[in-house]
Amino acid sequence: MTRPDTDDDLLLEVEGLSVAYQAERPVTACDGIDLQLRRGEILGVAGESGSGKSTLITALTRLQRPPASTTAGRILLHDQGRTVDLVGMTEDELRRYRWNTVSIVLQSAMDALNPVLRLGSQFADVIRANDPDVTTRTVLDRTTELLAMVGIPANRIRSYPHELSGGMRQRAMIALALACGPKLVVMDEPTTAVDVVMQRRIVRQILRLRRQLGFAVVFVTHDLSLLLELADRIAIMYAGRIVEIGTADQIYHRPRHPYTRGLRDSFPPLHAPLTRLQGIPGSPPNLVRLPPGCAFAPRCPEAIDACHDARPALRIIEDQQVACHLYDVADRDDVDDVAMSR
Amino acid sequence: MTVVDEPARSAQPEAAEPVLEARRVTKHFKVRDGAGRASVVQAVEEVDLALRPGRIVALVGESGSGKTTLARLLARFYPVTDGEIRLRDVAAAGRPDKAYHRSVQLIFQDPFGSLHPGHKISYNLERPLRIHGHATNRSQARQQAAELLERVGLIPATDFLDKLPHELSGGRRQRVVIARALAVRPEVLLGDEPISMLDVSIRLDMLNLLARLRDEEDLALLYITHDIASARYLCDDVAVMYAGQMIESGPKEAVIQQPMHPYTRLLVAASPDPSRRRAADGDDLDSLDAGPDEPPSLIDPPTGCRFHPRCPFAMDECRVQLPEPTTFGDGRWARCWLHQKGRSHELIPAAH
């Protein structure tokens, strides 16, 4: 397992996290997830529907409800010189971390905001929950300041959510998530419901606010091309597991896992010369009936015998992490050949 | 065939005659608000569009730009308020629906809602074959249904004929939807965001299928999308709509690589491009932060060019009237006052 140079730098460590949906036959939606997040880092999580990326988000924020439950693993949060494990915490204990340490931005702001409360009172709720003694004046000033950060004028404080445009609601959600100065903001497809122009604006605001305020982000989406522009590092999920982690540059220029490569090549370029692209044959697997080996093997153009027999573990290949039997040969020259031949 | 007196902007000397055309088409919807007050949504304003055999036109724009309304007008889901839809140079109005839909088929975004959930794939395909008289008995219908599945890459067809729609994945279901549209042997396919609900990894497959139908069967295709990169991959021409107005159109590389309307430029600049790393830090869109950030309401749209409240180049004329198209050769045109004022060059520096 990789560790950054200094442990002070680490904000979050996820170790062996598994989440299952309890049913007649339990479905493991996240299977042995290992992740590290540094302070101020933007980690993108890319995957298709059913890859477990949203399940991972609700597990990280401990917002999951039955039938989902965390069946194994730890979520270690390093903050103010202490390390806590979010997995074992009660709801009361968690409350001390919500909003001011970990906050969340959901996909549909219309559903996440209370439709019958004005924007201002929703901000007041959050600010007061963190600091009950704060004056009305301070609440108003703070709300104005937060909304200004995302380009929403102060006269919107008295608006109801339905009076705002979709893009404005989404930005209000981001402002709300930042209300108590969190160290980590978890974002679940925050831009899929808005148009590309607004999406670009939100992405730029996230980057600018991160630079100003220094929070870390876990950003989940199916849109890898968006992550390539936004994220520092990207984790690729497939069928409930992480199959590769690398920097945005590595994922784009030197994807190691055949699935990552297929996913990258599923996004036609906007300006580069056009070539015929193939996508990935077949469909994502059904989590109830996963193959015994690598879940991607049935669709993989390079699958070898080992792929059908055993699940590959996520391990370090040079400075990337990849779960693929093609890299079983320990010899570094070979590894480079495999990567370079792509 | 009669010679069509086409507007200069869509004339392409060597191009085939259009199969389906929208000429100065306008659509206004009457709506009532919660208090019962009537108002009019000006969804599509004087739009021209021509679809030709063996060519794909991508219709791009943000949500609410009128793309879907235009497709539904072309499919005759509702009548036009003004202007005309022409099929094979004959006015579409007044023709029987069945005959019209034998030529023009619409594919929806949602493959889950487009097939009868209680019937097998074979039924879903055989029904249009029977209704349109392409098959006269059961075994013929089944035979043709199998051929349709093979044409859209569902092989062997016998694996799919007796399945119910919910037993298929989203990508396969969308293939069945396309197969059903092909069952009537149409000349025109209108695809309203046909891939946006599919998983990323199977979208390209669907685009390649549509390209094959164009190349091998000479279909005329309209591909509606908000994803410029997929439009560039699939189509031949791009038409750009903003708030109900068609503001630019032409061969895809011309329009995407050197937009001639400020809105097209904004749309292309905002689209994700995997090869552009961290352009977001470069703040190349700062000038846009000043104006409104989203398209206007179509109940009370801005006068003149509807983009003017967001446009960095807006001048007095823009608030009064949308200019006539300026043509640039290759069948390319844009409706922007910059060109009328000899200021076209101001658009070029920011183009890629």
Side-chain angles (χ1 to χ4, degrees), chain B residues 298-311:
Chain B
L298 296 181
I299 290 180
D300 186 19
T303 53
C305 171
R306 290 179 179 176
F307 186 60
H308 83 252
R310 297 172 74 186
C311 183

Side-chain angles (χ1 to χ4, degrees), chain A residues 135-200:
Chain A
T135 66
T136 307
R137 183 75 243 164
T138 313
V139 168
L140 198 61
D141 288 348
R142 180 83 183 120
T143 305
T144 309
E145 181 194 354
L146 286 163
L147 289 175
M149 287 195 310
V150 294
I152 298 178
N155 61 16
R156 291 296 190 164
I157 289 179
R158 291 189 52 77
S159 296
Y160 289 100
H162 75 267
E163 296 174 311
L164 307 176
S165 70
M168 217 181 253
R169 277 199 292 268
Q170 204 60 54
R171 285 180 288 144
M173 278 299 298
I174 292 173
L176 192 60
L178 298 176
C180 305
K183 307 294 189 306
L184 169 63
V185 184
V186 176
M187 300 187 177
D188 187 7
E189 310 229 18
T191 63
T192 34
V194 299
D195 283 312
V196 284
V197 177
M198 180 52 63
Q199 168 173 292
R200 160 107 353 204

Side-chain angles (χ1 to χ4, degrees), chain A residues 48-49 165 167 171 195 200-201 204 228-232 249 265 268-272 277 280 282-283 299, chain B residues 62-63 169 199 201-202 204 208 229 232-233 257 270 272-273 276-278 280-281 283 285-286 289 293-294:
Chain A
E48 300 178 78
S49 47
S165 70
R171 285 180 288 144
D195 283 312
R200 160 107 353 204
R201 190 162 168 188
R204 284 181 42 227
L228 288 168
E229 290 187 38
L230 170 74
D232 301 313
D249 271 332
D265 293 341
L270 196 57
H271 300 294
L277 301 171
I280 304 174
S283 308
R299 301 174 77 188
Chain B
E62 292 170 273
S63 38
S169 65
D199 264 318
S201 70
I202 52 183
L204 268 175
N208 288 338
R232 177 176 181 242
Y233 179 76
Q257 308 308 340
D273 181 11
R276 167 182 54 198
R277 290 277 297 112
R278 281 296 162 82
D281 273 339
D283 284 6
L285 297 174
D286 262 352
D289 277 358
D293 46 24
E294 283 171 284

